[in-house]
Amino acid sequence: MTKGRASARYVVGIDLGTTHCALAYVEAGVEGQKPQVLPVPQLVAQASMEARALLPSFVYFAHESDGKLALPWDRSRRFAVGEYARARGVEAPARLVSS
């Protein structure tokens, strides 16, 4: 075990935008490299997940008739963020939060 601070392996950038959020990273201490976009897993349709470069900045609160918006890490979720939220918000704008 070394004493003091551990050195970082990566540098991560987070863009919390009003329309989209994104993550990017580079290996620490390596000059001249281009940032790599880190795809964000998100619900894109009922029971369908995909990793995408951008996470739309939307939150959708489901109606009981929508059923659960299950995610692998939260099977009983009743809200969605991202692509699915944006798509459902067109049909039910009163259940959508956006900027």
Side-chain angles (χ1 to χ4, degrees):
M1 189 166 130
T2 60
K3 292 183 180 180
R5 283 179 59 173
S7 59
R9 185 169 175 194
Y10 296 98
V11 176
V12 177
I14 303 171
D15 176 7
L16 297 174
T18 55
T19 56
H20 291 91
C21 297
L23 296 167
Y25 67 94
V26 294
E27 193 169 345
V30 178
E31 290 189 34
Q33 63 181 313
K34 293 184 180 182
Q36 300 295 311
V37 173
L38 186 64
V40 180
Q42 58 188 289
L43 195 64
V44 295
Q46 189 78 24
S48 178
M49 286 195 54
E50 290 180 16
R52 296 199 173 171
L54 296 175
L55 177 71
S57 300
F58 294 85
V59 179
Y60 173 76
F61 294 95
H63 186 270
E64 288 181 11
S65 64
D66 289 324
K68 294 178 182 167
L69 301 175
L71 298 171
W73 54 88
D74 186 354
R75 298 274 178 214
S76 62
R77 182 162 287 195
R78 305 290 298 179
F79 67 94
V81 298
E83 189 61 44
Y84 182 76
R86 179 171 56 184
R88 286 294 296 144
V90 171
E91 299 168 19
R95 300 189 162 281
L96 184 70
V97 177
S98 65
S99 66

